[in-house]
Amino acid sequence: MVEPADRPSTAGQRLGAPESFGVSTLEPGLRPPAQPPGRQVSIRVQMLDDTQEVFQISQRSPGKVLFDLVCVHLNLTEGDYFGLEYQDQRKMTVWLDLLKPTLKQIRRPKNTILRFVVKFFPPDHTQLMEELTRYFFALQIKRDLACGRLICNDTSAALMVSHIIQSEIGDFDETQSWQHLLHNKYLPDQDAIRDKITDCHRKHVGQTPAESDFQLLEIARRLEMYGVRLHPAKDREGTKLSLAVAHTGVLVFQGYTKINAFNWSKIRKLSFKRKRFLIKLRADPNAHHDTLEFAMASRDCCKIFWKICVEYHAFFRLFEEPKPKPKPILFTRGSSFRFSGRTQKQIIDYVKDSELKKVPFERKHSKILSNSSMSPQPASFRSQVPKEVIQFLVSPFILSLIYCNYAPFSFLGRFVHIYRHFWSVFNSSLSRSPASDDSPLGSPHVIVNGSGSVNGQGIGCTGVLGPGQSPEGRQLSPLTSPLLTEAGYVRNDDEDEARRKKFPTDKAYFIAKELLTTERTYLKDLQVITESFQSFVGKDEVLPDSVKNLISANYDPVYKFHQGFLKEVEQRLAQWSVEGRSNAHIKGDYQRIGDILLKNIQGLRVNISLVLWFSSALSSRKVETVCRDFEQQRVCYLPFNIFLLRPLHRLLHYKLILERLCKHYPPTHEDFRDCRAALADISEMVLQLQGAMMKMENFQKLLELKKDLTGIDNLAIHGREFIRLGCLSKLSGKGLQQRMFFLFSDSLVYTSRGMTPSNQFKVHGQLSLYGMTIRESEEEWGVPHSFTLFGQRQSVVVAASCASEMERWVEDIRMAIDLAEQSSSPSTDLLSTSLPDNSKSLLEDSGAEQESEEELCSSRSSLERQGHRGNTTVHVCWHRNTSVSMVDFSVAVENQLSGNLLRKFKNSNGWQKLWVVFTNFSLFFYKSHQDDYPLASLPLLGYSVTVPCESENIHKDYVFKLHFKSHVYYFRSESEYTFERWMEVIRSATCSTSHSTRKDLY
């Protein structure tokens, strides 16, 4: 019915590109469709409540992927009424095409904000089945009123605003309503009808927010300008008019008055030719013309309006989504654009036929809900830290120290006594604050003291050993061992299953328990800095005293703070589920965790401020040598730089845990308001620190790579960004030889594994990215997955292990080339002056001793070898022939987990209980959480995680399987939640290189 008059087919269609399929809002419980592999980008979307969310999509994803992500985020079932609009490069407002790649439409995603708004306005709001959908429509009406788009008389405007106010502040109160109208603008000329609004508001006593939304839509749908978006045009005589489209057809306005309407049943065809919009009507003897012509500002304006008409017609008139047109054999005229998604009839039928669970949601502007869910806390819950002090700690001056790679220690040392003095003042203010009446510390039921006893009976559940204390001989805490009841007694599976069925445990308990288990690991990591490292450097006179003082001044307070925080969390979990027997069936104030987090927010804020600018201090050559020596200690199971950034990364973990709690709780739950308030504070901190954190992570990654490379002097310099590392095969006269490549923002370095005691990688050459070009060359060389890099001085042919690896490398190299071209400073020569000029003359180490995969995967060899540096990410990528990007590292710091798991080998019979820590793409195994160092580790890059099949005879619940080549391991978790969490975080490591989430790092 609707086609353009002149529109050639696209190049993709002429070449036989596959037809994209339409989009439908996801059903509840389903995840968004898998995104195509490739570089990820961040897209900002502004919601109808004026909040902004950032979504990660693949560079090649169609618009439907982004739209589905938004609908899933909002739990929106009837999402097909909505759309995403934005301003294109011509400053014209257009809808995001769901079938075309998003980045083909949005050229500058960093500077573009998409708006999630109502696209299709139904004639009757009763056709909207969900309360959440009506709420979003009400927000759209509120926005249209405020911007002057929904024109109406004063009586209708006052009545609509009164319903909006009723939904936001509740029943009429003269003072409150008057103040609310003073501080909120609902209409352009609101002051003139303020008395009318308050008079209408008086009549809505007892009306709920949902009822207010319903009444608001009832009034709005009767207005002539309801859902109308005007498009300027002129008729044949040059009279200025406006065109619009509605569910009934095409409308013509003069000013804000509708002067004509063309019903869909009367329209035979809609088309456009250049800047003329044509409406062809069905034969009518009473009509003067069968074709109406309107002139618009440009061809683009015509096309935009024509596409909206196509979609409106299909949405309201068709029974189902239109099928794609058959591909033309030679050529075609007309546009290939079509409506994609469910029609209104399909939406209504789906909602009627489905028994959808009503999902609670938060009305952002409604004080009715916020009073009950986000009420202010007592003064004791929030330590009063002066704002001036906090602003000083996170001031741009202090933050600028982060970017100084070689800050003088003498200068930094001057701040030590300032922070010591501040910390003593802060601690004294904490000690003076009165205890809360409902504080768990005052509960007489279960008391956990510093020696790890409950009501005087020792259970050893504090997780922190004092000086001189030993874990030997202690009974394990029931909180850390879900398979133990009383000390030394192992519960069998039948008892465990019966207990779960009789007393099903609330999911919130396991989320809170994740906070507890990861907090224990975090405290152990802080202990590596505050005790192990300080003890190690105490014997070394090489380390400057200023650095030693900085460590004690910055990290000791953090460690002490989290000791107290961990005790509070342990006590609460002990009250929530005493000795492993869930008390979820018994209601009590102790079944919550948000109040503890909220109470400690200010302490976290100060601790992060203390740590934020310190970690860049460990960058001198002397300090690097000391840190490298310390990494040979078994207690330092990760690169030392990772421990230094732990406090910043821990904020991300708190945020994720609180998000899961808020998503799980209904708004009426007693813990919901505390969790929401704590989440808001921590999210604000994360947002403020995000840029600084990314710069620090990059700088620390450069320092870490410097330890694995030999032949490079000046790797960690200002402005250089690490992008990707991994294995590629380099084509030379000797054939394909395995090389480790390191991609930075200004150069590409290739190396081979040397024969040094620490197995460092020896640099063979460097390619400047400035002026580099890249070309796929599989057919030219006959090597699968190969491509050629053309530099200014030389060209290199390399091959990836698979097509996906090649795609990742090519995308990242091209991005790095663009960065190098945009950079004003030339690339710095990375090679050491001691290396010969001709990099090709360097010896090939094909005969170097190769560490076997068996050795790498062995449960003990990876940590018990000298230095245990063969377990670093670089070495794992070398052996597994894979690659990792900086984005993968950033994702990895958010995906960390700790807890008890049962492990079983492929050919063994029994299960072994272990304390397992997942971090840095690896699993680390301990006897218990009190151990100072892991007994073994398992790097997961290259592994696959699945569920055992029936033929493997693993007849247990919550079991997942890890396998790589002939290596197979089974793990059992304690609950469905922990099973899903372990699967989730492990997939982030085993599959990170195939679906990593690219953040805006550059």
Side-chain angles (χ1 to χ4, degrees):
M1 183 204 75
V2 282
E3 296 177 357
D6 59 338
R7 180 68 174 96
S9 63
T10 63
Q13 291 169 329
R14 293 195 298 272
L15 295 174
E19 186 73 25
S20 300
F21 52 90
V23 61
S24 293
T25 304
L26 292 175
E27 299 179 11
L30 295 185
R31 295 186 177 181
Q35 299 189 27
R39 185 167 66 91
Q40 300 268 326
V41 294
S42 299
I43 303 292
R44 283 187 296 166
V45 178
Q46 181 171 317
M47 304 300 177
L48 281 163
D49 60 2
D50 295 327
T51 60
Q52 287 189 11
E53 298 290 340
V54 178
F55 298 90
Q56 302 289 337
I57 64 169
S58 172
Q59 194 176 28
R60 299 186 300 173
S61 294
K64 64 180 287 299
V65 171
L66 176 61
F67 183 70
D68 281 351
L69 287 173
V70 175
C71 291
V72 170
H73 170 75
L74 296 173
N75 287 322
L76 188 58
T77 304
E78 300 171 291
D80 303 76
Y81 287 102
F82 302 83
L84 295 171
E85 66 176 9
Y86 65 98
Q87 276 197 339
D88 61 9
Q89 63 271 18
R90 303 161 298 182
K91 302 299 181 183
M92 301 179 68
T93 300
V94 296
W95 293 103
L96 182 72
D97 192 321
L98 302 183
L99 300 182
K100 292 182 179 179
T102 302
L103 293 192
K104 289 285 182 66
Q105 306 174 67
I106 305 173
R107 300 296 182 181
R108 303 177 65 188
K110 290 183 183 178
N111 304 322
T112 303
I113 300 178
L114 284 82
R115 294 180 295 275
F116 180 79
V117 295
V118 175
K119 188 174 185 178
F120 302 111
F121 290 81
D124 189 354
H125 61 288
T126 58
Q127 295 172 336
L128 305 175
M129 303 297 181
E130 296 288 315
E131 180 186 341
L132 177 61
T133 312
R134 292 192 292 272
Y135 169 61
F136 286 143
F137 266 78
L139 291 178
Q140 184 67 62
I141 298 302
K142 174 184 173 183
R143 177 175 294 184
D144 290 349
L145 281 171
C147 69
R149 179 183 284 173
L150 184 55
I151 305 298
C152 59
N153 58 42
D154 289 348
T155 302
S156 298
L159 190 56
M160 286 191 288
V161 172
S162 69
H163 285 297
I164 296 173
I165 297 176
Q166 174 71 21
S167 69
E168 292 185 353
I169 66 174
D171 293 343
F172 176 78
D173 177 90
E174 188 165 0
T175 303
Q176 185 183 18
S177 300
W178 194 261
Q179 289 293 328
H180 192 74
L181 282 170
L182 285 176
H183 292 93
N184 294 274
K185 194 82 169 176
Y186 297 104
L187 296 167
D189 54 349
Q190 179 174 294
D191 295 342
I193 59 171
R194 190 180 300 167
D195 293 334
K196 237 180 211 185
I197 296 173
T198 54
D199 289 341
C200 293
H201 188 198
R202 296 175 196 270
K203 304 173 184 178
H204 304 329
V205 176
Q207 186 171 286
T208 66
E211 293 170 342
S212 298
D213 292 343
F214 192 90
Q215 295 299 327
L216 173 65
L217 296 179
E218 175 66 28
I219 301 168
R221 76 180 183 91
R222 301 176 185 275
L223 300 176
E224 194 167 68
M225 296 297 293
Y226 167 69
V228 169
R229 303 292 182 259
L230 299 177
H231 297 257
K234 294 180 180 179
D235 62 9
R236 292 177 184 268
E237 288 74 31
T239 305
K240 291 184 178 180
L241 304 169
S242 294
L243 299 179
V245 62
H247 64 279
T248 56
V250 179
L251 313 177
V252 183
F253 284 81
Q254 189 166 27
Y256 295 110
T257 303
K258 184 170 67 175
I259 61 174
N260 210 338
F262 303 99
N263 196 281
W264 294 123
S265 60
K266 296 180 180 180
I267 297 175
R268 179 170 60 88
K269 184 178 182 181
L270 294 177
S271 61
F272 65 93
K273 187 173 185 180
R274 295 183 179 88
K275 62 179 184 179
R276 290 182 296 138
F277 186 79
L278 307 174
I279 304 177
K280 296 184 179 181
L281 303 175
R282 300 187 184 278
D284 185 354
N286 298 323
H288 297 288
H289 304 283
D290 65 344
T291 301
L292 302 175
E293 183 177 312
F294 298 89
M296 305 188 82
S298 65
R299 181 184 182 279
D300 290 337
C301 293
C302 269
K303 184 178 180 180
I304 289 172
F305 182 63
W306 172 80
K307 290 171 72 173
I308 296 174
C309 292
V310 171
E311 294 184 309
Y312 252 84
H313 174 268
F315 184 78
F316 287 107
R317 296 281 290 181
L318 301 185
F319 286 164
E320 59 184 18
E321 179 183 356
K323 296 180 180 179
K325 294 181 180 179
K327 288 185 173 60
I329 300 176
L330 296 176
F331 60 89
T332 183
R333 297 183 63 197
S335 172
S336 63
F337 175 78
R338 65 182 178 88
F339 171 74
S340 61
R342 295 183 295 192
T343 65
Q344 187 190 32
K345 184 179 185 304
Q346 286 178 309
I347 299 173
I348 294 174
D349 292 344
Y350 167 73
V351 177
K352 283 182 178 178
D353 296 341
S354 304
E355 296 182 359
L356 299 178
K357 181 181 178 182
K358 303 297 182 182
V359 180
F361 62 92
E362 179 186 4
R363 297 171 178 265
K364 180 176 181 294
H365 302 285
S366 177
K367 293 185 179 180
I368 302 174
L369 179 60
S370 62
N371 286 338
S372 62
S373 63
M374 300 260 307
S375 59
Q377 300 300 315
S380 60
F381 272 74
R382 293 178 178 267
S383 303
Q384 299 300 316
V385 180
K387 290 184 178 180
E388 294 78 5
V389 176
I390 299 298
Q391 291 171 355
F392 165 74
L393 288 170
V394 294
S395 66
F397 169 70
I398 293 298
L399 291 178
S400 65
L401 293 177
I402 301 166
Y403 312 134
C404 301
N405 292 345
Y406 297 94
F409 294 119
S410 58
F411 175 74
L412 293 176
R414 297 175 185 174
F415 289 94
V416 174
H417 72 280
I418 298 176
Y419 285 103
R420 280 179 172 166
H421 173 70
F422 169 77
W423 187 252
S424 62
V425 173
F426 177 74
N427 277 333
S428 62
S429 66
L430 281 181
S431 62
R432 286 194 299 268
S433 59
S436 173
D437 293 336
D438 57 349
S439 170
L441 297 177
S443 172
H445 302 294
V446 181
I447 301 174
V448 179
N449 57 35
S451 60
S453 62
V454 177
N455 290 344
Q457 302 298 319
I459 62 170
C461 65
T462 61
V464 181
L465 296 179
Q469 290 180 319
S470 171
E472 282 79 17
R474 284 192 164 197
Q475 296 174 342
L476 290 176
S477 166
L479 296 178
T480 64
S481 178
L483 302 180
L484 294 181
T485 49
E486 299 177 2
Y489 170 68
V490 179
R491 180 188 292 114
N492 61 42
D493 293 334
D494 294 335
E495 291 176 345
D496 200 37
E497 182 67 21
R499 180 184 60 86
R500 283 200 298 264
K501 290 180 178 179
K502 186 176 181 180
F503 303 121
T505 305
D506 184 14
K507 180 180 176 181
Y509 168 76
F510 293 109
I511 301 176
K513 189 170 181 179
E514 180 181 336
L515 172 66
L516 170 68
T517 56
T518 52
E519 187 71 17
R520 283 175 171 154
T521 298
Y522 173 54
L523 200 66
K524 277 291 183 182
D525 289 347
L526 289 177
Q527 200 172 347
V528 171
I529 303 174
T530 58
E531 295 183 9
S532 303
F533 182 72
Q534 291 193 61
S535 175
F536 181 83
V537 299
K539 311 167 187 176
D540 197 334
E541 299 298 331
V542 178
L543 194 66
D545 291 337
S546 57
V547 176
K548 298 178 183 178
N549 294 334
L550 280 171
I551 293 175
S552 60
N554 289 278
Y555 285 91
D556 285 353
V558 178
Y559 179 64
K560 292 177 182 176
F561 171 83
H562 282 277
Q563 277 184 307
F565 177 69
L566 176 61
K567 289 179 181 178
E568 288 190 62
V569 176
E570 283 184 324
Q571 177 180 339
R572 178 57 57 84
L573 266 293
Q575 293 172 315
W576 199 330
S577 179
V578 179
E579 294 188 354
R581 292 188 296 272
S582 171
N583 291 332
H585 60 292
I586 305 174
K587 301 301 179 184
D589 292 337
Y590 50 79
Q591 292 180 3
R592 54 178 178 159
I593 199 70
D595 58 323
I596 296 179
L597 282 161
L598 187 60
K599 173 184 175 182
N600 289 278
I601 285 293
Q602 293 295 356
L604 289 174
R605 191 186 300 272
V606 174
N607 289 335
I608 295 303
S609 303
L610 291 172
V611 171
L612 184 60
W613 56 278
F614 166 72
S615 59
S616 61
L618 302 183
S619 55
S620 72
R621 192 175 296 274
K622 291 181 179 179
V623 178
E624 285 179 21
T625 303
V626 174
C627 292
R628 187 175 302 186
D629 292 340
F630 176 68
E631 286 178 345
Q632 309 305 315
Q633 308 299 310
R634 301 179 72 180
V635 69
C636 189
Y637 66 100
L638 296 172
F640 188 60
N641 292 331
I642 293 180
F643 291 103
L644 296 176
L645 294 177
R646 274 291 195 251
L648 301 181
H649 297 158
R650 186 61 177 153
L651 274 184
L652 302 175
H653 306 158
Y654 292 142
K655 182 174 179 287
L656 293 174
I657 288 172
L658 284 167
E659 285 174 346
R660 283 193 290 271
L661 282 170
C662 291
K663 188 175 182 180
H664 168 69
Y665 285 139
T668 55
H669 194 279
E670 60 182 354
D671 200 25
F672 180 81
R673 64 178 185 273
D674 291 338
C675 289
R676 290 286 297 189
L679 177 59
D681 287 342
I682 288 182
S683 298
E684 180 185 2
M685 294 167 62
V686 170
L687 185 63
Q688 291 174 352
L689 299 174
Q690 189 172 16
M693 194 184 305
M694 289 162 57
K695 290 181 180 292
M696 293 173 67
E697 287 176 351
N698 177 74
F699 176 61
Q700 298 294 358
K701 181 55 62 179
L702 293 176
L703 291 179
E704 181 184 335
L705 292 178
K706 188 177 177 182
K707 302 171 187 175
D708 284 312
L709 295 173
T710 178
I712 287 184
D713 282 340
N714 54 348
L715 184 62
I717 65 170
H718 179 70
R720 175 169 291 141
E721 305 283 349
F722 163 69
I723 299 176
R724 180 176 287 276
L725 65 86
C727 269
L728 292 171
S729 297
K730 179 176 175 291
L731 185 62
S732 66
K734 299 180 181 180
L736 288 172
Q737 294 180 317
Q738 185 180 2
R739 293 287 177 264
M740 177 65 71
F741 279 71
F742 298 85
L743 177 62
F744 304 101
S745 57
D746 57 350
S747 59
L748 178 66
V749 176
Y750 54 97
T751 67
S752 66
R753 188 166 175 269
M755 298 182 64
T756 61
S758 57
N759 294 325
Q760 289 177 294
F761 285 83
K762 181 173 57 179
V763 176
H764 281 242
Q766 170 191 0
L767 296 174
S768 173
L769 296 177
Y770 188 80
M772 177 184 285
T773 58
I774 185 171
R775 185 181 70 198
E776 298 183 11
S777 53
E778 183 171 335
E779 295 181 359
E780 179 181 355
W781 296 99
V783 178
H785 319 308
S786 62
F787 54 96
T788 305
L789 304 170
F790 297 91
Q792 292 178 332
R793 300 179 183 177
Q794 65 179 113
S795 61
V796 176
V797 181
V798 294
S801 59
C802 59
S804 58
E805 271 291 303
M806 172 184 166
E807 182 179 6
R808 285 188 282 273
W809 273 107
V810 170
E811 286 185 351
D812 281 350
I813 291 174
R814 283 176 175 161
M815 179 195 67
I817 291 173
D818 292 340
L819 291 174
E821 296 287 348
Q822 297 169 8
S823 176
S824 57
S825 58
S827 61
T828 306
D829 191 7
L830 286 168
L831 301 186
S832 172
T833 54
S834 61
L835 287 176
D837 293 335
N838 186 4
S839 62
K840 292 185 179 181
S841 66
L842 292 174
L843 294 177
E844 303 290 342
D845 64 331
S846 56
E849 179 184 356
Q850 297 293 317
E851 183 185 26
S852 68
E853 179 62 34
E854 289 288 338
E855 184 183 1
L856 182 68
C857 292
S858 173
S859 62
R860 290 190 176 274
S861 62
S862 61
L863 282 177
E864 292 185 349
R865 281 191 312 275
Q866 179 183 2
H868 62 80
R869 287 198 59 79
N871 200 32
T872 63
T873 306
V874 178
H875 287 82
V876 175
C877 287
W878 173 264
H879 288 283
R880 306 275 169 81
N881 199 18
T882 185
S883 66
V884 177
S885 70
M886 187 62 197
V887 178
D888 297 323
F889 284 108
S890 299
V891 172
V893 300
E894 298 181 13
N895 290 289
Q896 299 183 25
L897 196 59
S898 307
N900 284 105
L901 286 176
L902 295 176
R903 184 183 67 178
K904 178 183 180 298
F905 296 101
K906 182 178 181 181
N907 298 319
S908 64
N909 295 322
W911 295 83
Q912 181 186 13
K913 182 171 67 68
L914 296 167
W915 175 262
V916 183
V917 174
F918 172 81
T919 184
N920 204 37
F921 309 109
S922 298
L923 293 176
F924 296 90
F925 304 105
Y926 302 74
K927 283 288 186 180
S928 76
H929 69 86
Q930 296 172 335
D931 292 351
D932 290 328
Y933 54 84
L935 302 174
S937 69
L938 179 64
L940 295 182
L941 289 174
Y943 266 74
S944 298
V945 57
T946 58
V947 178
C949 59
E950 190 69 23
S951 61
E952 294 174 274
N953 295 320
I954 307 293
H955 304 297
K956 303 292 183 183
D957 293 334
Y958 315 132
V959 176
F960 59 91
K961 170 186 174 183
L962 286 171
H963 54 97
F964 175 78
K965 295 184 178 178
S966 61
H967 303 277
V968 178
Y969 305 93
Y970 301 98
F971 294 92
R972 286 174 60 193
S973 54
E974 65 172 310
S975 67
E976 182 180 5
Y977 171 80
T978 53
F979 167 79
E980 292 174 351
R981 285 290 295 136
W982 279 107
M983 291 282 284
E984 178 183 351
V985 297
I986 290 176
R987 280 189 178 127
S988 72
T990 58
C991 306
S992 60
T993 53
S994 63
H995 57 77
S996 60
T997 304
R998 177 166 299 280
K999 298 178 180 177
D1000 191 11
L1001 293 173
Y1002 311 107

